[in-house]
Amino acid sequence: MSPKTKSESKSKKARTSTLTSETRSFQAEVKQLLNLMIHSLYSNKEIFLRELISNASDACDKLRFASLTDKTLLEDEEDLGIWISADQEKKTIIIRDNGIGMDYDEVVEDIGTIARSGTRAFIEKMESEKSSGNADFIGQFGVGFYSCFLVGKQVTLITRKAGTESKTGVMWSSDGTGEYTISSIDRPNRGTEIIIHLKDDDDQYVKDYRIRSIIEKYSDHISIPILMPKEPEPVTEESEGDEKPESKPEEGEQWEVVNRGSALWARPKKEISEEEYTTFYSSLSYDSTAPVLTIHNRVEGKLDYISLFFVPATAPFDLWDREQRQGIKLYVRRIFISDDAKTLMPNYLRFVRGLVDCADLPLNVSREFLQQNRDIDKIRQASVKRVLGELKKLSESDNETYNKIWKEFGKVLKEGVVEDHENRKSIAELARFSTTKGDGESQTVSLNQYVDRMPMSQKHIYYLTAESHMAASSSPHLEIFKKKDIEVLLLSDPVDEWFVSHFTEFRDKALKSIARGDLELDDIKEEETEKKTEEEQAAQNTLIQKIKEVLDETVKDVRFTNRLVDSPSCLIADEMDMGGNMERILKAIGQEAPTAKPILEINPDHTLIKRMDPEGEELEDWAKLLFDQALLAEGATLNNPGEFVKRVNRLLIL
């Protein structure tokens, strides 16, 4: 099929007689983005073609899906394709498709603005990456069209939406410097055509072999045919004298398909090389780094489907944007249906990329159908178990590689303990933590490893949550555990608070916070404490009572503790109260947190406590100082830092 029909030739004459025309300014973020594109130092500019081909393929997929319920959208042209040609004299490259197309408002919305929460993140990342020559992250941000300004000094887009009248065509043009011109035109053909006038330094992209090599590298797998002008056959001695009539312009050029267009996932695994998997993954994720894990599986039986999943080596920029997820695509008998990953993969596995191709679903499935269909639920459940199972195998066979995965995605995987009750145990087994016996801040210790090296007499898995690893590792709560050589999990990720509240037992060992409730170390042989005289006991009881009176509005209780060795005081939460760390996390994200007074525990054997005089004038300052010190030790901030400084100064000059 030729992209240059008679009707299209006529439309080119009609483009000059626009119905409406206006000049607009780009959205502020787009101006900044285009400025970076135009003046960037990227060496990998060739990705512009990958991006435009990907957009054209998406447009064709959308039309094919929409035409399942409305055949008129095809407009008597059922064969879908992407045509690419170049003019060496004019230094232009043209990418055309006969997909869904756009109307006037869609061009303004999609090309003139970036209505996406990740725009700022993209611009910041692009500024930081521009000297590294790495432009492979462009497609991740949904701004692939703008990559044409990497090589183009002037870009024209001509489009018409399928199913609309020819007079609703649109022509958009810009040099990328801040403004664009948009016009209504008459365009008989549906679809989109992009004409790029190349910069002088980028004229290599008009060469046929260069375009073909880029297509082979990035877009060979795309199922939509990609066509280019057919290369002339070599002249032989026999044909040299033959006279051949020149082709008439209206007959069009001869075109040939230049991509294989085969569904890689449908081929047997043994026939697919690692390089092919990596290339395909790159086309899905716009990530040039090879995936850490490839999971290719075919299921036959009551359900017949193929799944191909990839675990990236590094986290995508929008990992924490729980709404922007397009990790898993759904195909039905090789036809693209949806990129709504929520129906195929749970939120805590949103970093997984790939697709599912099912043979048993109707082609005209709707979003509501996907959300309510039992077969989709079964595919989702099986896919989750497959991914978790492969991660477990990797953790057992290659712990070093698995720890790299955990470093990138561990915080997200922990969400699964809260969200996925069915697979809670499997996720907990995959979890890695930093501990008092681990490798510093690195999260490399599993719960199985912790339990395996517990003393026989230890009844609990002990943990401590804090705002940072430094706050956790230096917490006074650890003192008795270090003295007794008892390992403690150090939890400093915000999600850890939810993790331990939903996962309370592992291998018949209860998880217990060392900063909440009474500390029961009955399972650890405790040395006999020095017996105190009645007079000493009475003095200590008086001191406790006096401190309670001073801190009555601040704490729930004041008591002596056996959990401290070197520190004079610490704060703990009552068994049923919310901990201070959780309270601070909720407030930081704008949620109301129930206010619960902490308990102040003081070390009766500390020199400072022994020297405190229950009847002394400075007792109030000492009591408040003990509280403020304990507050700072757990990573909290003081309500009145100025008063704290004055109090310390008063005590220093005594």
Side-chain angles (χ1 to χ4, degrees), residues 297-306 356-362 369 373-383:
N297 187 48
R298 180 187 291 272
V299 176
E300 295 177 334
K302 291 183 179 180
L303 276 175
D304 187 359
Y305 67 92
I306 301 168
V356 171
D357 188 350
C358 187
D360 301 315
L361 297 176
F369 176 91
N373 185 264
R374 289 184 179 180
D375 288 344
I376 288 292
D377 290 340
K378 291 177 181 177
I379 293 173
R380 173 187 168 115
Q381 291 170 6
S383 297

Side-chain angles (χ1 to χ4, degrees), residues 233-454:
E233 296 182 4
V235 178
T236 63
E237 292 183 2
E238 290 79 8
S239 62
E240 206 170 39
D242 295 343
E243 292 186 9
K244 294 184 179 180
E246 294 183 3
S247 299
K248 295 180 180 179
E250 59 268 21
E251 291 177 354
E253 298 180 68
Q254 295 295 315
W255 298 80
E256 63 179 350
V257 177
V258 295
N259 64 319
R260 286 189 294 179
S262 61
L264 175 137
W265 61 88
R267 293 159 51 192
K269 288 192 287 186
K270 61 182 180 181
E271 296 181 4
I272 307 173
S273 67
E274 288 299 319
E275 184 179 357
E276 287 178 302
Y277 275 128
T278 300
T279 301
F280 183 71
Y281 163 75
S282 179
S283 70
L284 285 176
S285 63
Y286 306 100
D287 180 4
S288 60
T289 306
V292 177
L293 190 61
T294 299
I295 308 169
H296 192 181
N297 187 48
R298 180 187 291 272
V299 176
E300 295 177 334
K302 291 183 179 180
L303 276 175
D304 187 359
Y305 67 92
I306 301 168
S307 61
L308 176 56
F309 302 131
F310 301 96
V311 175
T314 56
F317 84 99
D318 57 353
L319 181 65
W320 295 105
D321 189 345
R322 290 168 60 91
E323 299 304 317
Q324 296 285 359
R325 296 195 304 134
Q326 294 187 354
I328 308 298
K329 299 179 182 293
L330 174 65
Y331 288 76
V332 175
R333 296 187 287 279
R334 315 295 183 270
I335 296 177
F336 172 77
I337 299 297
S338 170
D339 55 12
D340 183 8
K342 293 179 182 178
T343 60
L344 295 167
M345 200 64 72
N347 223 317
Y348 70 91
L349 290 176
R350 58 184 174 272
F351 58 88
V352 177
R353 298 291 183 259
L355 59 87
V356 171
D357 188 350
C358 187
D360 301 315
L361 297 176
L363 285 172
N364 59 342
V365 306
S366 64
R367 193 173 297 271
E368 291 74 20
F369 176 91
L370 293 176
Q371 293 170 348
Q372 301 170 6
N373 185 264
R374 289 184 179 180
D375 288 344
I376 288 292
D377 290 340
K378 291 177 181 177
I379 293 173
R380 173 187 168 115
Q381 291 170 6
S383 297
V384 170
K385 290 185 181 297
R386 171 72 60 175
V387 171
L388 295 179
E390 292 297 324
L391 287 173
K392 183 178 181 181
K393 288 181 183 178
L394 182 65
S395 70
E396 294 169 346
S397 63
D398 188 350
N399 194 53
E400 183 179 351
T401 300
Y402 178 75
N403 284 338
K404 291 179 181 178
I405 292 178
W406 181 259
K407 183 178 180 181
E408 294 291 328
F409 307 112
K411 295 177 184 178
V412 177
L413 269 171
K414 286 178 183 176
E415 295 174 8
V417 169
V418 182
E419 299 175 358
D420 189 351
H421 182 82
E422 181 182 353
N423 295 297
R424 183 175 297 173
K425 182 181 177 183
S426 298
I427 300 166
E429 289 179 341
L430 291 171
R432 297 292 184 268
F433 305 93
S434 58
T435 78
T436 50
K437 292 186 178 181
D439 182 19
E441 192 171 351
S442 301
Q443 296 182 6
T444 58
V445 179
S446 69
L447 290 176
N448 276 316
Q449 289 173 312
Y450 180 98
V451 174
D452 288 343
R453 58 197 189 200
M454 280 171 50

Side-chain angles (χ1 to χ4, degrees), residues 476 479-480 482-483 563-569 603 606-607:
E479 292 175 359
I480 189 64
K482 290 179 179 178
K483 181 179 179 181
R563 74 180 81 219
L564 296 175
V565 177
D566 301 316
S567 299
S569 63
N603 180 3
H606 195 276
T607 304

